[in-house]
Amino acid sequence: MTRGIALVRRPSGRLAEGLVTHIERSDVDLALARRQHEAYRAALTEAGWQVREVAPADHCPDSVFVEDTVVVCEGLAVITRPGAPQRRPEIPGTEKVVREAGLEVVRIEAPGTLDGGDVLQVDGTVYVGRGGRTNGEGVTQLRNHLATRGRTVIPVALREVLHLKSAVTALPDGTLLALPELLDTTALRQPVRTVDEEAGCHVVPLGDDLVLLAASAPRTAALVADLGFTPVVVDISEYEKLEGCVTCLSVLIPGA
Ligand SMILES: CN(C)C(=N)NCCC[C@H](N)C(=O)O
């Protein structure tokens, strides 16, 4: 039994040159990052996902954060136009794989910008973060594309944080885990549980009661377990040094 496809992209040899915006730059251990990525892929496989790799892009330091290049919703792949121009060469590799997977492909076009990390899908609602990377035109284009799938798109203002999913994600029951100081929570329709560690608002529901989260969020792992879910914990320290989190390293395509 497979739950669907999990797109991933192995880290570039230039990973350490990845962008940092809201944190101080610190040294990235590439060998450790590669081992952590292997363990991340293994966690997805173990949870029942068929891992499919986008070809590595060594010239793109941030390409491991594959989530930012595509938004997938009910058989539709919206190829993004990342807000950071230096990340746009990541796009063709992702597009090739989603086409091969048989998804319908549409695009965010200039002057629109949209990063997949700014898009959080919860039931029929799609929240889109308005911070540094996604602009109003990008939100409008996404809204038009996802209207074909009956989705409602709601913009959410971000504060000092890179992406919407750096500040809020959803548990399998649709409740949200968030750090309220990082975003305008009045836009959110689902109940919000406040966490007390930044990595705690980054979770990926893997199906059934499984919830993927980072080793740097031990109190949230305990909360998740206390709520009756099963935490799947991975160490992604080298990606966190580049403002990455567990969501950014994959794109889950259920049923594919
Ligand atoms: C939810 N998040 C955080 C993401 N989807 N992406 C992280 C990208 C990090 C990269 N260094 C950058 O600055 O683009």
Side-chain angles (χ1 to χ4, degrees):
M1 191 277 292
T2 134
R3 298 184 190 275
I5 292 173
L7 295 185
V8 298
R9 195 169 208 172
R10 292 188 193 215
S12 155
R14 291 175 51 193
L15 177 70
E17 298 167 44
L19 297 170
V20 285
T21 308
H22 297 283
I23 61 174
E24 291 288 311
R25 184 173 289 281
S26 56
D27 289 344
V28 172
D29 179 336
L30 181 60
L32 177 57
R34 289 188 166 130
R35 290 198 297 278
Q36 290 178 344
H37 200 262
E38 192 179 338
Y40 181 93
R41 298 194 306 269
L44 295 177
T45 304
E46 176 86 359
W49 293 88
Q50 188 204 327
V51 170
R52 190 160 303 176
E53 298 196 22
V54 177
D58 225 44
H59 56 299
C60 299
D62 280 306
S63 49
V64 71
F65 303 116
V66 66
E67 167 178 70
D68 294 323
T69 58
V70 65
V71 174
V72 178
C73 178
E74 277 187 34
L76 180 70
V78 181
I79 299 293
T80 68
R81 184 166 179 270
Q86 54 273 64
R87 294 202 57 191
R88 292 183 194 150
E90 297 174 25
I91 291 302
T94 302
E95 180 167 347
K96 180 169 185 290
V97 173
V98 294
R99 280 194 189 281
E100 286 166 359
L103 301 179
E104 180 186 342
V105 175
V106 292
R107 278 196 191 76
I108 301 295
E109 307 278 3
T113 62
L114 181 96
D115 279 19
D118 274 327
V119 180
L120 174 64
Q121 304 188 45
V122 192
D123 305 325
T125 303
V126 180
Y127 297 107
V128 186
R130 288 299 317 279
R133 299 281 177 91
T134 295
N135 66 15
E137 175 63 24
V139 177
T140 301
Q141 291 183 27
L142 184 72
R143 177 178 288 126
N144 293 338
H145 289 313
L146 297 190
T148 65
R149 300 305 194 265
R151 297 299 197 271
T152 303
V153 167
I154 300 179
V156 181
L158 301 179
R159 302 201 179 104
E160 295 295 301
V161 71
L162 183 60
H163 284 136
L164 179 67
K165 282 196 257 188
S166 310
V168 59
T169 52
L171 286 169
D173 62 5
T175 60
L176 304 175
L177 292 180
L179 269 179
E181 63 266 33
L182 297 180
L183 76 169
D184 174 15
T185 54
T186 60
L188 305 175
R189 296 176 169 181
Q190 287 81 5
V192 176
R193 295 178 196 279
T194 300
V195 296
D196 65 353
E197 49 197 354
E198 180 150 351
C201 40
H202 316 147
V203 298
V204 180
L206 291 178
D208 298 326
D209 66 349
L210 301 175
V211 176
L212 183 70
L213 80 173
S216 54
R219 292 189 296 280
T220 309
L223 169 70
V224 164
D226 197 50
L227 292 170
F229 301 112
T230 302
V232 176
V233 177
V234 285
D235 187 353
I236 54 162
S237 63
E238 301 316 290
Y239 302 101
E240 290 171 332
K241 291 174 181 173
L242 298 164
E243 289 175 282
C245 62
V246 280
T247 75
C248 336
L249 296 173
S250 60
V251 176
L252 300 185
I253 311 177

